[in-house]
Amino acid sequence: MKKVYRKLIWIRDPLARVKRHVSSHSGFRVFRDRRKWMFPFLASFVLSVTLLMSVIYVQFDTSYVEESLPFDNVLEESNDYFVESRLRMSLNSTGNSNSSEVPRLAYLISGTKGDSLRMMRTLQAVYHPRNHYVLHLDLEAPPKERLELAMSVKSDPTFREFENAVAILLKESLNWDWFINLSASDYPLVTQDDMLYVFAKLSRNVNFIEHMKLTGWKLNQRAKSIIVDPGLYLSKKTEIAWTTQHRSLPTSFTLFTGSAWVVLTRSFLEYSILGWDNFPRTILMYYTNFVSSPEGYFHTVICNTEEFKSTAIGHDLHYISWDYPPKQHPNSLSIKDFDKMVKSKAPFARKFHKNDPVLDKIDRELLGRTHRFSSGSWCIGSSENGADPCSVRGDDSVLKPGPGAERLKELVQTLLSDEFRTKQCS
């Protein structure tokens, strides 16, 4: 059982309103965490004592001050030790990506009670050996369903061979370029070969995040209201409690809103976690008292940060059919929406009912998915007698783009045009 959980890990979205489940492994985690900080603490203590002794020694040896300090050259030559320098180096070095370098994508696929089977279907539809995947079932899902999902991944021979179907992205995996979040009701409209082919020609600094300034009734209702969310303290979902008091609007930053579905770069997410100016954490604290915080947190951070505001492209790369009015909830897609989905040129669409026939049509006509996985150049096995060609893996850096790549390429070219980009963060 331990081996299963090591390969399949569920993480909690920092903006999701659920409480961390306390398991029987919590004692081990505490001990493991204690080991992590014990060595840095001892190292810091030894360094502090050494520095103290050096200061005492300087007081008795005036010739010491004429010599260069042993750390001078280190500080001059190792600016990459600091977050600010690392970030700027990352922005500069990845600004013009090598078109021959195939990127890696990091997916978070989330679901709730009853979603494990269609999460598995979505995972297989977006799977590529180069990518990384995290599967997240919230606390509404029973332990049995979590175990079934873990065993489904564990028993799949492809996942077992490649061993990259799960990762704790920023912590565990250092080798990915974009983060993409999907729900169990999302589905791809292009193959991963199509996706990687188009993204290989993009700057590694481009963030796709639909955004707009928070105004009107949303500004008054969401930004000014003071709420109490029991989901932050209880293990089960509970309705938000509204108070009669209101708070004033912030004056040091502008509030933005938009789609909760994003395609974000590693450099931006590193800033969101390690931001040296503490701005991302300030915004995170602000959005704990906010309705639907995933529709505003990243949007507000990116559009209020000089290093990143020019990288924000106002599109979520999804086809969504909204209700009329007030465009607050997506309609469920079906066969009648197929042509519209294709014409949108988007790589993803939502939302779909479980096992809707349109998903089979997408598999056949857009993804070439006849077995478990969508077609890709990495699948080099034989398909004779109904065999799965993806059971034998080829070179995952070789891509075979199809019509989906042409559609996505046209969409990206439009989004990167000067006319479209002048509207970003405004």
Side-chain angles (χ1 to χ4, degrees):
M1 185 61 67
K2 291 183 179 178
K3 192 172 182 181
V4 173
Y5 279 98
R6 192 182 311 123
K7 292 292 180 62
L8 184 63
I9 306 172
W10 294 271
I11 64 171
R12 183 171 67 94
D13 185 338
L15 300 177
R17 301 184 179 281
V18 294
K19 183 179 180 181
R20 184 187 298 268
H21 178 66
V22 180
S23 69
S24 59
H25 298 285
S26 59
F28 172 73
R29 291 195 185 100
V30 171
F31 175 74
R32 184 175 59 187
D33 291 341
R34 185 175 300 164
R35 289 192 303 171
K36 289 181 178 179
W37 62 255
M38 184 62 70
F39 177 78
F41 171 79
L42 292 176
S44 300
F45 177 78
V46 173
L47 179 60
S48 299
V49 172
T50 304
L51 291 175
L52 179 60
M53 295 301 294
S54 299
V55 172
I56 296 174
Y57 177 74
V58 169
Q59 294 177 354
F60 293 95
D61 187 0
T62 56
S63 63
Y64 179 86
V65 299
E66 298 178 359
E67 301 177 3
S68 61
L69 291 175
F71 294 112
D72 286 348
N73 294 333
V74 175
L75 293 174
E76 291 175 0
E77 299 175 3
S78 304
N79 285 331
D80 57 318
Y81 290 168
F82 300 94
V83 175
E84 298 95 321
S85 300
R86 283 176 54 201
L87 177 59
R88 292 190 178 95
M89 290 174 62
S90 175
L91 289 172
N92 292 332
S93 63
T94 59
N96 297 313
S97 62
N98 186 348
S99 60
S100 64
E101 182 181 353
V102 180
R104 298 179 188 270
L105 307 177
Y107 282 91
L108 168 63
I109 304 175
S110 301
T112 188
K113 181 180 180 180
D115 280 342
S116 60
L117 292 180
R118 60 176 179 168
M119 283 178 65
M120 194 66 182
R121 178 172 184 165
T122 300
L123 171 62
Q124 292 176 341
V126 298
Y127 183 76
H128 192 281
R130 294 188 64 82
N131 297 339
H132 303 276
Y133 302 85
V134 170
L135 306 182
H136 167 225
L137 279 171
D138 67 20
L139 291 181
E140 290 292 302
K144 179 182 178 181
E145 187 171 6
R146 296 171 183 272
L147 181 60
E148 290 174 350
L149 180 59
M151 294 305 298
S152 296
V153 174
K154 176 63 178 176
S155 62
D156 190 294
T158 302
F159 295 149
R160 185 170 63 248
E161 177 186 354
F162 304 153
E163 295 186 349
N164 73 348
V166 289
I168 303 302
L169 308 176
L170 279 173
K171 182 178 180 181
E172 298 291 342
S173 173
L174 301 177
N175 192 14
W176 55 266
D177 302 285
W178 278 278
F179 165 83
I180 301 173
N181 65 326
L182 301 175
S183 74
S185 60
D186 289 46
Y187 211 67
L189 302 177
V190 300
T191 68
Q192 288 304 287
D193 273 20
D194 295 334
M195 192 88 174
L196 293 172
Y197 176 79
V198 174
F199 272 63
K201 302 183 182 302
L202 289 178
S203 163
R204 299 299 196 266
N205 298 325
V206 174
N207 293 278
F208 294 95
I209 177 169
E210 183 188 75
H211 59 274
M212 65 198 74
K213 285 185 178 179
L214 187 62
T215 58
W217 67 268
K218 283 188 177 180
L219 181 65
N220 292 322
Q221 182 174 336
R222 295 187 176 182
K224 292 183 178 181
S225 298
I226 297 178
I227 62 174
V228 177
D229 185 0
L232 296 174
Y233 315 103
L234 303 179
S235 60
K236 292 187 177 181
K237 296 179 180 178
T238 309
E239 289 295 324
I240 292 174
W242 298 80
T243 68
T244 57
Q245 290 77 21
H246 289 80
R247 60 179 176 178
S248 59
L249 296 175
T251 57
S252 59
F253 55 87
T254 303
L255 296 174
F256 283 79
T257 187
S259 172
W261 312 107
V262 295
V263 180
L264 301 176
T265 62
R266 183 183 183 93
S267 58
F268 173 64
L269 289 177
E270 284 180 334
Y271 169 74
S272 298
I273 295 177
L274 305 174
W276 62 90
D277 56 3
N278 210 36
F279 179 68
R281 183 170 296 276
T282 299
I283 301 300
L284 183 62
M285 294 175 65
Y286 180 85
Y287 273 93
T288 59
N289 185 77
F290 212 91
V291 178
S292 192
S293 53
E295 296 179 1
Y297 172 72
F298 289 120
H299 316 69
T300 299
V301 171
I302 200 168
C303 285
N304 285 274
T305 307
E306 288 299 323
E307 288 88 346
F308 292 102
K309 63 189 306 183
S310 63
T311 71
I313 306 299
H315 199 288
D316 61 5
L317 300 187
H318 273 67
Y319 173 80
I320 303 176
S321 174
W322 295 101
D323 61 339
Y324 296 100
K327 295 187 177 182
Q328 291 296 299
H329 302 285
N331 297 315
S332 295
L333 302 173
S334 61
I335 292 289
K336 65 181 178 61
D337 299 294
F338 181 81
D339 290 340
K340 295 178 182 177
M341 286 187 273
V342 175
K343 291 179 181 178
S344 75
K345 304 173 185 176
F348 304 102
R350 71 179 318 269
K351 63 180 183 177
F352 296 95
H353 284 303
K354 295 180 182 179
N355 298 320
D356 191 283
V358 71
L359 296 176
D360 297 328
K361 185 176 178 67
I362 292 173
D363 282 344
R364 291 193 308 270
E365 300 186 21
L366 302 183
L367 304 181
R369 183 171 177 254
T370 57
H371 292 79
R372 292 171 300 157
F373 305 108
S374 300
S375 63
S377 185
W378 63 277
C379 303
I380 61 172
S382 172
S383 57
E384 294 183 3
N385 300 321
D388 183 1
C390 296
S391 61
V392 180
R393 171 184 174 178
D395 186 350
D396 61 28
S397 65
V398 177
L399 304 176
K400 184 175 65 176
E406 291 301 316
R407 296 195 306 271
L408 179 56
K409 180 180 177 181
E410 292 178 8
L411 173 62
V412 169
Q413 287 176 339
T414 300
L415 298 178
L416 295 179
S417 65
D418 292 339
E419 179 182 359
F420 192 90
R421 298 195 70 169
T422 55
K423 304 174 184 178
Q424 62 195 27
C425 291
S426 60

